[in-house]
Amino acid sequence: GCTKTDVSIADLREELDLTLSETDKKIMYYFFLKNDCANIVKLLKNPNAEIDCNGNMTMEQYVDLITSAKEMNFNVHRYPSFMSEFVRHYTYNKDKEGYFPEDDILYLFYQYAIKTCPSKMVRRWYKLNLDIANILTAFLARKNGWAVANFIQGNNDVTEMILTNNTKDFNLTTEYDYVADLMKIVDCEDPVEKEKKIDAFKWLWLEESTFFNIFSIDAVFAYLC
């Protein structure tokens, strides 16, 4: 079975399917692919789990992907390669201390979207999400005395600075204006409040990035986010 977490998104998606061009649909695919990632983790943990219907794939496709990936079957090429790799490695990683499959597949998804999405704005959006996740993780790791390098995912300008700088802010504030605001959020003790502040920060970025293109597919994407 599956649940529709947000009826308005399901209704809006139906409308978009009727009006968007094939090119625009390829861009919207990435928005819903994040839900596919969450569904795969749910089904790996429990094959009878309820899934979010606001993904791109059907239950049959999830089962096909999981089975094919484990058996190294040719069918695996029907799906994004990062998903197959995640499924194959899940068996070996799931019992490791400190392993969070939801975070692992999300990082892989961000890296995939940054490389392959047709929209420059959407690629920038996912890079921002990846960078924020790495920056917040790095601050948290340092605060707890953990080895920062063990928790950083991907390889780009931000991760390089995190891994090569020992200053309080990893020297990021000199290169990225938004990091100063992120550092204030890091110190927030209430996890719910912290999450709200991170969301507000991201949404402001989306508004500013689509301000002059309010009728574009990027603006539709931002609205869904």
Side-chain angles (χ1 to χ4, degrees):
C2 65
T3 56
K4 291 189 178 179
T5 53
D6 189 333
V7 175
S8 63
I9 284 186
D11 291 344
L12 183 57
R13 186 178 189 182
E14 203 172 305
E15 186 70 27
L16 292 174
D17 282 341
L18 296 172
T19 56
L20 291 183
S21 68
E22 289 306 310
T23 302
D24 288 348
K25 284 178 184 177
K26 285 178 183 174
I27 294 169
M28 294 311 306
Y29 166 84
Y30 289 83
F31 176 84
F32 298 105
L33 188 61
K34 189 176 178 181
N35 294 334
D36 290 319
C37 292
N39 285 338
I40 287 169
V41 174
K42 285 179 185 176
L43 293 169
L44 283 169
K45 288 182 173 181
N46 174 14
N48 298 313
E50 278 201 343
I51 59 169
D52 182 347
C53 285
N54 286 317
N56 294 299
M57 296 160 62
T58 64
M59 178 64 90
E60 289 73 20
Q61 287 174 315
Y62 292 128
V63 172
D64 181 41
L65 166 63
I66 291 170
T67 305
S68 298
K70 287 179 178 177
E71 296 176 356
M72 302 291 282
N73 189 293
F74 72 93
N75 284 353
V76 85
H77 299 301
R78 297 175 186 170
Y79 312 103
S81 58
F82 80 90
M83 290 180 157
S84 309
E85 290 167 23
F86 170 80
V87 172
R88 279 200 293 272
H89 296 147
Y90 175 78
T91 305
Y92 306 103
N93 291 327
K94 65 186 177 81
D95 296 322
K96 289 181 182 176
E97 187 178 354
Y99 177 69
F100 300 100
E102 294 83 359
D103 291 346
D104 188 22
I105 198 169
L106 190 59
Y107 276 119
L108 294 172
F109 161 67
Y110 286 152
Q111 291 172 73
Y112 172 78
I114 291 163
K115 288 178 184 174
T116 62
C117 184
S119 163
K120 183 179 179 181
M121 191 284 289
V122 175
R123 291 198 302 273
R124 286 175 57 232
W125 162 246
Y126 285 123
K127 183 180 184 301
L128 178 75
N129 278 266
L130 176 62
D131 289 344
I132 287 174
N134 273 322
I135 291 166
L136 292 176
T137 298
F139 283 134
L140 181 65
R142 177 175 280 179
K143 186 178 180 181
N144 287 284
W146 304 332
V148 173
N150 293 343
F151 299 91
I152 300 304
Q153 298 275 350
N155 182 21
N156 63 23
D157 47 348
V158 169
T159 57
E160 186 178 342
M161 291 187 74
I162 289 171
L163 296 173
T164 57
N165 283 275
N166 293 319
T167 54
K168 182 183 178 184
D169 64 348
F170 300 98
N171 214 31
L172 289 163
T173 48
T174 58
E175 296 288 331
Y176 306 97
D177 295 338
Y178 70 84
V179 175
D181 293 326
L182 270 187
M183 288 184 72
K184 295 172 190 171
I185 295 173
V186 168
D187 295 328
C188 182
E189 295 296 329
D190 182 346
V192 175
E193 190 63 28
K194 186 175 181 179
E195 198 68 32
K196 283 181 179 177
K197 287 182 177 180
I198 293 168
D199 283 344
F201 176 87
K202 290 178 179 178
W203 292 338
L204 180 61
W205 184 93
L206 281 170
E207 283 182 13
E208 291 174 347
S209 298
T210 56
F211 185 77
F212 294 107
N213 297 293
I214 57 172
F215 298 111
S216 67
I217 185 61
D218 289 343
V220 175
F221 186 96
Y223 175 75
L224 278 170
C225 289

